[in-house]
Every structure is written in C-alpha cells, then in structure tokens.
Amino acid sequence: MALDPKKFFQACNPSKTLKLEVEEDRDFYIDFSSVRGRDIIKQLRRTITREANDASCQLFTGHIGCGKSTELFRLKDELVKESFYVVYFESSADMDMADVDISDILLAITRQVSESLEKVDIKLKPSYFTNLFNEVADFLQTPIGLNAELSLPLGGGKIGELSLPLGIGKITATTKESPRLRSQLRQYLEPRTSSILEAINKEILGRATELLKQKGYQGLVVIIDNLDRIDTSLKPSGRSQPEYLFIDRGEQLRKLNCHVVYTIPLVLMFSDELNSLNNRFGIYPAVLPMVRVKNRDQSDCIEGMDLLRQMVLARAFPKLNCEERLAKVHEVFSSLEVLNRLCRMSGGHVRNLLVLLYSCLQREDPPLDSNCLESVIRDYRNDLTAGIDENGWRRLKQIVQEKDIVKGEADYPLLRSLFLFEYTDQEDRWVDVNPAIAESKKFRQ
C-alpha cells in the first residue's frame, strides 16, 4: 500500500483522541506501558474487576497531552469486553472548568449516567430529583425553558414528567453560562449535598447497577475525564480549587455507589497535602508519565524510540505490521534519522510529537526532510523559551546539573509549562529538561 498524504495528514491531527472502540483508531494505538514504568491501565482495571462490592474510587493524573484520554478509552474498551457498563464523559461538557464545585460534579455524573442508560432502555425516574427540579425552579425564578416540549419556564411552573438527563442538562447548561445563577444554585444545593448524594446512590447508581446486572452486565463504571484541567484559582476560603474539591470534599466524591475513576490535576501530586489526599480516598493516585526516549545517562531508550517511531508510522500505514512500516519510512521522511530526530525532540510527550509532525505536514507534503523539521523545531523552541524568566532558567539548569527532583508546588509550573518532562523507570521517577530547551543557547551558556 502506498502512503495516502491526505489520510496521513488527518490521522496526525494532535487534537484527535483515539477511541479504541473505533477500528481505525485501534490501528493507530501503540501501547507505551513498557516504557512508562508500569501498566497503569491494567492497575485501574484490576481494581474494578476484582472489587466485590460493586464500588471503587480511583484517581488518575499526568501531564496534559501525555495520552491520558486515550488510555482511559483503552480502559473503557477493556472493561466493556469484560461485560461492564462504562459511562465515559468529559467534565468540561457540563462544567465551567474555571469554577467547579461539588454539586456540579454530582449533577454531571447524574446526568451523564442517566442519559447513557436511556440508550440501553433503562429510564430512571427518581422521585427525589423530580421534587428537587421543582424546588430549584421555584428558588431561581428564572425562565430557561427547562421543559421544551411543554414550554415550562424554570420559575412559575412544575416540571412533572421531565426526563432526568434533560432536566439536569437544562439547569447545568444555563448556570454554566451565568456565574450569578450558578452561585444561587450552589447556595441552594450546598446544604442538601448529603441528601443529593444519598439519592444518587440509591435512586440512580444503585438502581442502575441492579438493572444492568439483570441485562447481563458485571457492574457500572463511571470515568470522568478532564477534571485535571480545572483552574487552580483560589476559593473564597483561600484553598485552591483542586485542594478544595479533592481534599476538603474528597470524602463525598469517594462515596459514590459504583466504580469511579476521576482525573485530577497533576499539581496535587506536588502539594504538601498529598498525604491528606491519599487519606481521603484511601489510595495513591495513578500517574501517567512521559514515554522514555532516553535513559538517565542520556543514552537513547531503544524500546521507547521504537514505539514512538511506530506511533508515527502507524498513522501512515495502519494496516501494515511493524517491519513493513519501517521498510516504507522513506515515503514519509527523507531518511530514518529525520524520524528519529522528531521522536527525540518530542521528549516522549505524545501530543508534542503529533504537534511537531502536524506542523511539518502543514508546510510540506511527505517525504519530510530535515530542513522542514528543523524549521518547525526552531519555532517551537522560540515559543517555549519566551516564557522562561531568569529564575526559571536558573532552576532548570540546577535540576539538570545536580540531577535534582521537582520540589513541591514551587517547581510545578516548570512541569505544567512543559519545560520539564517526568519519566519513570525501574528505579524511580525522574525529570529532564524539554529537549527543545536543552538545545537553546541560553540553556547551554
């Protein structure tokens, strides 16, 4: 088969998340677990499949763009094959990530679960939420078209037989766009959090699990992605939003009556309250590191480089095996060394790899040569280094020269900005400077 430049271009779009239930996406997927330190998805799956109580709570984090969403779709695919009913959703679809509270998360879970269940002919009509909708309507007194079919406003009318997911969806969609209404709704729901949680467990999750088992499923799993993207701004209490949600309110989040996987902000792994987080949930968060492209001694990690090459070539020749793809590398790059250079400069950050590759494809058609790649790397390096102040340069050099570790929240911005990458090997976690920064004149001075 010959390279199809248009399909290759589309397959390299860095904004695309692979969904392994889709055949084409399965052809693109590369399992990097052997060079990430351990198979984290296997760990998450085992906890769910081995837990006898139909409920578990796990935390998952990593750098944005390191492949968490793709790995979560892998988890979903493997659990579906083991007859679990899995509800995956992106929290950003229901919430304003700059301003999230516990009630927002609980309502989003309720909506997403109930909406998904309707696809398998399970329609839940919990009396608690029907009453709650009517109370909220009277409290807010704001028309938002909560029941489109009957043209009932939010204030001055009863909800009646409104579909559960539609009702919650109408409320959350309106309050997401209005900070004032969102604040009013939270004031109303906050003292009712315990009763809402009880109703979710009994009337939604508990009932759903019972009905799903009647249909032959092993249980219910809810995967909540993108909570790692919540803003780190301070709440009125002075606590950061991540600390407030997952430490102060973590006890409530872990009490859901089903299997739950939350993505959490990586900054919590560097908080001085990490032990409090672990104690709240009774588990250690699973951290997805970068793909190792080199070892601690700066030599190439052969296996990591092999897998990254396959990640690129699988998008060019998805139906070929590994050897056949490598044999056709000259259809994509002018030489194997150009591909190797691309993989090394990504630092093992899978989205960075695709961003660099996509930028090349926006400029030229394959086969891509070194001039094109170096031009893209140069632009990438300039953009990165423009954001580093003198203290940042000093700390980056110190970390590399002294083989230091990232220390607490003060160093976390270096990871968040992708100035540093974190890796895991058989010994421990370690960090190294972004390869593009390492080649800059300022860093080498």
Side-chain angles (χ1 to χ4, degrees):
M1 66 180 286
L3 175 68
D4 184 326
K6 184 175 181 179
K7 287 186 177 180
F8 181 51
F9 182 90
Q10 295 169 348
C12 293
N13 189 329
S15 65
K16 175 181 171 60
T17 298
L18 299 184
K19 300 178 180 180
L20 300 194
E21 66 264 31
V22 178
E23 181 180 353
E24 182 183 60
D25 286 2
R26 282 199 303 273
D27 292 335
F28 295 154
Y29 178 75
I30 301 296
D31 183 359
F32 291 113
S33 58
S34 61
V35 287
R36 290 197 195 266
R38 69 182 188 277
D39 192 339
I40 291 174
I41 296 306
K42 179 181 178 181
Q43 171 186 321
L44 297 175
R45 186 187 73 247
R46 278 172 59 85
T47 301
I48 292 169
T49 58
R50 300 289 174 94
E51 180 56 65
N53 297 320
D54 292 327
S56 64
C57 181
Q58 300 184 81
L59 307 177
F60 182 50
T61 190
H63 299 275
I64 290 178
C66 70
K68 290 189 303 300
S69 294
T70 293
E71 292 302 313
L72 288 175
F73 274 110
R74 175 189 156 198
L75 175 63
K76 176 184 177 182
D77 183 62
E78 292 180 0
L79 288 170
V80 166
K81 290 176 180 176
E82 295 197 43
S83 298
F84 282 86
Y85 188 84
V86 183
V87 179
Y88 165 95
F89 71 95
E90 296 178 347
S91 55
S92 50
D94 292 82
M95 296 173 250
D96 177 357
M97 305 309 286
D99 182 20
V100 178
D101 211 324
I102 189 74
S103 58
D104 304 326
I105 297 175
L106 295 178
L107 287 180
I109 292 171
T110 302
R111 184 181 84 82
Q112 294 285 347
V113 169
S114 56
E115 183 176 75
S116 179
L117 289 172
E118 290 188 354
K119 298 175 183 177
V120 291
D121 296 323
I122 296 178
K123 295 187 177 182
L124 303 173
K125 295 185 178 180
S127 58
Y128 178 89
F129 284 98
T130 299
N131 294 332
L132 182 66
F133 288 162
N134 285 320
E135 292 171 3
V136 168
D138 291 338
F139 175 75
L140 292 182
Q141 291 293 309
T142 302
I144 61 172
L146 193 56
N147 191 332
E149 288 84 2
L150 300 178
S151 299
L152 292 179
L154 185 53
K158 298 301 180 183
I159 304 307
E161 295 300 315
L162 180 65
S163 159
L164 176 62
L166 178 60
I168 297 176
K170 289 288 186 179
I171 291 173
T172 56
T174 299
T175 56
K176 181 180 179 181
E177 299 302 322
S178 171
R180 179 182 62 83
L181 284 178
R182 187 161 62 243
S183 176
Q184 290 178 342
L185 179 63
R186 287 173 181 169
Q187 290 175 24
Y188 183 81
L189 295 179
E190 176 60 30
R192 296 164 176 78
T193 301
S194 295
S195 58
I196 291 172
L197 183 58
E198 182 180 353
I200 290 173
N201 281 333
K202 183 178 179 180
E203 298 185 1
I204 305 295
L205 302 177
R207 181 60 176 157
T209 299
E210 178 185 340
L211 295 174
L212 286 168
K213 287 192 171 184
Q214 291 176 13
K215 290 178 174 285
Y217 292 98
Q218 294 294 315
L220 171 65
V221 181
V222 180
I223 300 174
I224 308 165
D225 202 358
N226 285 2
L227 278 175
D228 59 312
R229 301 184 184 184
I230 61 174
D231 196 85
T232 57
S233 59
L234 297 181
K235 289 287 188 179
S237 64
R239 298 279 273 173
S240 72
Q241 192 167 218
E243 290 174 334
Y244 166 74
L245 288 173
F246 292 101
I247 297 176
D248 298 349
R249 309 299 295 271
E251 185 74 16
Q252 293 170 316
L253 289 178
R254 77 173 183 86
K255 284 186 175 179
L256 292 174
N257 189 22
C258 67
H259 299 288
V260 185
V261 178
Y262 296 105
T263 51
I264 66 170
L266 184 64
V267 66
L268 288 172
M269 300 303 297
F270 301 92
S271 169
D272 56 8
E273 293 205 54
L274 177 59
N275 285 334
S276 297
L277 176 72
N278 296 337
N279 290 332
R280 287 285 187 277
F281 287 88
I283 55 167
Y284 293 107
V287 181
L288 188 70
M290 300 296 150
V291 175
R292 286 203 317 276
V293 290
K294 57 184 176 181
N295 303 309
R296 289 173 185 258
D297 63 5
Q298 301 300 303
S299 63
D300 275 351
C301 175
I302 295 173
E303 185 178 6
M305 288 290 291
D306 284 344
L307 291 172
L308 286 174
R309 282 191 289 263
Q310 288 299 320
M311 174 184 161
V312 172
L313 295 175
R315 284 166 165 75
F317 309 107
K319 296 301 182 182
L320 300 184
N321 63 37
C322 296
E323 292 76 15
E324 290 170 335
R325 290 169 184 162
L326 281 172
K328 297 175 74 67
V329 68
H330 291 284
E331 292 186 33
V332 187
F333 300 94
S334 60
S335 69
L336 179 60
E337 185 48 43
V338 175
L339 174 56
N340 288 340
R341 171 77 168 153
L342 171 67
C343 294
R344 290 190 187 99
M345 292 306 298
S346 74
H349 187 287
V350 292
R351 184 177 293 170
N352 264 6
L353 176 57
L354 289 176
V355 167
L356 292 171
L357 176 57
Y358 197 70
S359 296
C360 289
L361 292 172
Q362 288 179 309
R363 302 183 185 196
E364 293 185 7
D365 288 331
L368 302 171
D369 61 25
S370 60
N371 290 332
C372 177
L373 177 59
E374 293 305 324
S375 174
V376 166
I377 291 172
R378 192 161 50 249
D379 290 345
Y380 172 51
R381 180 186 304 115
N382 290 338
D383 291 341
L384 270 178
T385 55
I388 306 175
D389 60 19
E390 287 302 318
N391 288 331
W393 284 113
R394 189 160 43 247
R395 183 62 183 136
L396 285 173
K397 292 177 182 179
Q398 181 183 25
I399 287 173
V400 172
Q401 291 168 359
E402 300 179 8
K403 299 188 183 303
D404 207 346
I405 60 172
V406 172
K407 296 178 179 177
E409 293 181 63
D411 280 346
Y412 172 70
L414 299 176
L415 288 167
R416 182 190 61 209
S417 301
L418 302 183
F419 301 155
L420 287 174
F421 289 151
E422 187 175 38
Y423 305 92
T424 301
D425 57 22
Q426 300 305 314
E427 298 177 30
D428 202 354
R429 287 190 294 175
W430 55 288
V431 296
D432 204 350
V433 69
N434 185 312
I437 295 175
E439 291 187 355
S440 67
K441 293 180 180 178
K442 180 78 171 179
F443 185 79
R444 288 179 289 148
Q445 287 176 349

